[in-house]
Amino acid sequence: MKEFIKEIEKKILEKECITFEEAMKLSSIEAKEDVEQLCISANNIREFFCGKEIDLCTIMNAKSGRCSEDCKFCAQSAYYKTNIEVYELVSSEAALKLSKENESEGVNRFSLVTSGRGIKGSDFEKVLDIYEKLNKEVKMDLCASLGILGYGEFIKLREKGITMYHHNLETSREYYKNICTTHSYDERIDTINAAKKAGMDICSGGIIGLGESFEERVKLAFQLKNLAVKSIPVNILNPVNGTPLENAKSLSQKEILKTIAIFRLINPDAFIRLAGGRNLIDSFGENCFNAGANATITGNYLTTSGNKICDDKKMISELKLEVRKNG
């Protein structure tokens, strides 16, 4: 199997694409030495296509709770009793304060994330005002995660300086019905395509550990490739009490590393971004940076705690990698 992995590495380094069948064969490996080789190959591919730079982003939970959607993993859904903190849209002052703190620590990107199907009405207008202020006062790339929106709304967001839109597919098309029933997979893809049409890069990935098979993960990785997604967050499910997935089985470290590596092989020039659930990975995902990852969400996430920015920067330096410079 090690020779097969090296053949796939050579193929990708020659700018050929891995096939679905090849990716599935890699997903079946179990021997320690084969998993190690898979990680080495993924890391070589990361360095060839992306270099040594690591992209850091932070997110602000800008509107929390009372979400109308029934995503089975989510603490913010109104369908479940999770004791999540509930509040309306944050002020521009609060957003500016947090963004400046993150900028001073060398973070590359900053994003507001709001609960709900899609931000509308007066809240949407307030978000535009917040981003207008951020665009004037901070030098980080601005991203947004505001739910299901249309092309006209994306044009307005782009005019305020947002360069990337985040909208996870979460899992494969086939498995999605097991995760959410209040909106469709096509609505998510339509949202991504509308943001692309408006001139934005796309940040879209998913959650592993939802009960899906490895085949569903491979299907997701190819769907993201087909959509030319630039940034792919890989979340590890952190089960929340009160949600339907509160008793979900934890993934092994080996399975997490295999997933990161195979996502890199399928999407060789994307940011493979460690996201929610990093506290479930040994050393906050240090080994993942040697298995093809080249980006991470840092600091506090939405409803769970992340790794401190200074700790991530120290880890990146010790791995002989570099934080991407702003500007």
Side-chain angles (χ1 to χ4, degrees), residues 244-302:
L245 293 176
E246 64 180 356
N247 296 316
K249 182 182 177 183
S250 297
L251 298 179
S252 68
Q253 300 294 310
K254 178 171 69 175
E255 189 155 4
I256 293 168
L257 288 174
K258 280 170 56 177
T259 301
I260 295 289
I262 290 172
F263 267 65
R264 167 58 65 199
L265 269 58
I266 295 170
N267 295 276
D269 58 356
F271 288 115
I272 305 297
R273 189 177 302 276
L274 303 184
R278 279 187 63 200
N279 56 317
L280 303 177
I281 317 173
D282 290 346
S283 303
F284 282 93
E286 180 177 352
N287 290 334
C288 294
F289 289 108
N290 288 323
N294 66 330
T296 187
I297 300 177
T298 188
N300 289 334
Y301 304 157
L302 293 181

Side-chain angles (χ1 to χ4, degrees), residues 138-318:
V138 297
K139 299 190 184 307
M140 292 185 290
D141 293 330
L142 296 178
C143 310
S145 183
L146 310 171
I148 296 171
L149 301 177
Y151 174 69
E153 293 159 312
F154 284 124
I155 288 293
K156 292 179 181 179
L157 290 168
R158 185 70 186 88
E159 289 171 349
K160 298 302 180 183
I162 296 171
T163 59
M164 181 177 284
Y165 195 72
H166 170 261
H167 197 63
N168 277 347
L169 292 180
E170 309 300 10
T171 188
S172 71
R173 177 183 291 277
E174 292 81 0
Y175 197 71
Y176 191 75
K177 63 182 180 295
N178 299 303
I179 300 304
C180 180
T181 66
T182 49
H183 59 266
S184 70
Y185 205 71
D186 283 328
E187 285 177 283
R188 302 195 77 80
I189 289 178
D190 289 346
T191 299
I192 288 171
N193 285 329
K196 287 172 65 176
K197 184 180 177 183
M200 296 182 189
D201 290 325
I202 300 301
C203 178
S204 181
I207 304 174
I208 61 174
L210 300 170
E212 79 288 350
S213 66
F214 216 116
E215 182 176 0
E216 305 304 340
R217 293 178 209 158
V218 172
K219 288 178 180 177
L220 171 61
F222 275 101
Q223 177 70 77
L224 297 168
K225 179 182 180 67
N226 292 338
L227 289 167
V229 170
K230 184 173 182 179
S231 171
I232 300 176
V234 179
N235 299 269
I236 295 92
L237 180 69
N238 195 352
V240 177
N241 289 337
T243 65
L245 293 176
E246 64 180 356
N247 296 316
K249 182 182 177 183
S250 297
L251 298 179
S252 68
Q253 300 294 310
K254 178 171 69 175
E255 189 155 4
I256 293 168
L257 288 174
K258 280 170 56 177
T259 301
I260 295 289
I262 290 172
F263 267 65
R264 167 58 65 199
L265 269 58
I266 295 170
N267 295 276
D269 58 356
F271 288 115
I272 305 297
R273 189 177 302 276
L274 303 184
R278 279 187 63 200
N279 56 317
L280 303 177
I281 317 173
D282 290 346
S283 303
F284 282 93
E286 180 177 352
N287 290 334
C288 294
F289 289 108
N290 288 323
N294 66 330
T296 187
I297 300 177
T298 188
N300 289 334
Y301 304 157
L302 293 181
T303 58
T304 59
S305 293
N307 206 17
K308 292 180 181 178
I309 296 169
C310 60
D311 292 336
D312 275 340
K313 290 170 68 177
K314 182 173 181 288
M315 178 196 301
I316 289 164
S317 176
E318 288 174 349

Side-chain angles (χ1 to χ4, degrees), residues 12-220:
I12 295 170
L13 292 176
E14 291 174 351
K15 301 189 177 178
E16 296 181 48
C17 296
I18 186 174
T19 67
F20 181 84
E21 291 74 21
E22 288 168 338
M24 284 305 301
K25 183 174 180 179
L26 292 174
S27 75
S28 69
I29 66 175
E30 292 295 334
K32 183 174 184 246
E33 59 270 22
D34 291 337
V35 175
E36 289 174 351
Q37 182 59 55
L38 178 65
C39 292
I40 290 169
S41 292
N43 201 43
N44 291 340
I45 289 165
R46 183 270 309 158
E47 184 157 351
F48 179 83
F49 285 94
C50 306
K52 292 182 176 295
E53 288 189 332
I54 304 296
D55 186 82
L56 298 181
C57 72
T58 54
I59 59 179
M60 182 180 197
N61 192 10
K63 183 181 180 182
S64 180
R66 297 199 196 98
C67 181
S68 62
E69 308 306 286
D70 70 351
C71 302
K72 303 298 186 292
F73 55 82
C74 188
Q76 301 204 50
S77 173
Y79 284 77
Y80 319 125
K81 294 181 180 179
T82 63
N83 298 317
I84 191 71
E85 184 181 3
V86 175
Y87 51 84
E88 294 303 315
L89 191 67
V90 298
S91 67
S92 58
E93 291 77 15
L96 189 59
K97 180 177 182 292
L98 182 58
S99 65
K100 281 184 171 292
E101 289 172 1
N102 290 327
E103 181 184 32
S104 70
E105 293 199 60
V107 171
N108 304 119
R109 304 175 188 274
F110 180 77
S111 177
L112 300 181
V113 182
T114 56
S115 67
R117 177 184 175 86
I119 198 161
K120 301 291 182 184
S122 61
D123 274 353
F124 181 74
E125 297 303 319
K126 290 176 185 175
V127 162
L128 292 177
D129 290 340
I130 292 172
Y131 274 109
E132 184 171 27
K133 290 182 175 69
L134 294 176
N135 194 33
K136 289 177 180 176
E137 300 204 32
V138 297
K139 299 190 184 307
M140 292 185 290
D141 293 330
L142 296 178
C143 310
S145 183
L146 310 171
I148 296 171
L149 301 177
Y151 174 69
E153 293 159 312
F154 284 124
I155 288 293
K156 292 179 181 179
L157 290 168
R158 185 70 186 88
E159 289 171 349
K160 298 302 180 183
I162 296 171
T163 59
M164 181 177 284
Y165 195 72
H166 170 261
H167 197 63
N168 277 347
L169 292 180
E170 309 300 10
T171 188
S172 71
R173 177 183 291 277
E174 292 81 0
Y175 197 71
Y176 191 75
K177 63 182 180 295
N178 299 303
I179 300 304
C180 180
T181 66
T182 49
H183 59 266
S184 70
Y185 205 71
D186 283 328
E187 285 177 283
R188 302 195 77 80
I189 289 178
D190 289 346
T191 299
I192 288 171
N193 285 329
K196 287 172 65 176
K197 184 180 177 183
M200 296 182 189
D201 290 325
I202 300 301
C203 178
S204 181
I207 304 174
I208 61 174
L210 300 170
E212 79 288 350
S213 66
F214 216 116
E215 182 176 0
E216 305 304 340
R217 293 178 209 158
V218 172
K219 288 178 180 177
L220 171 61

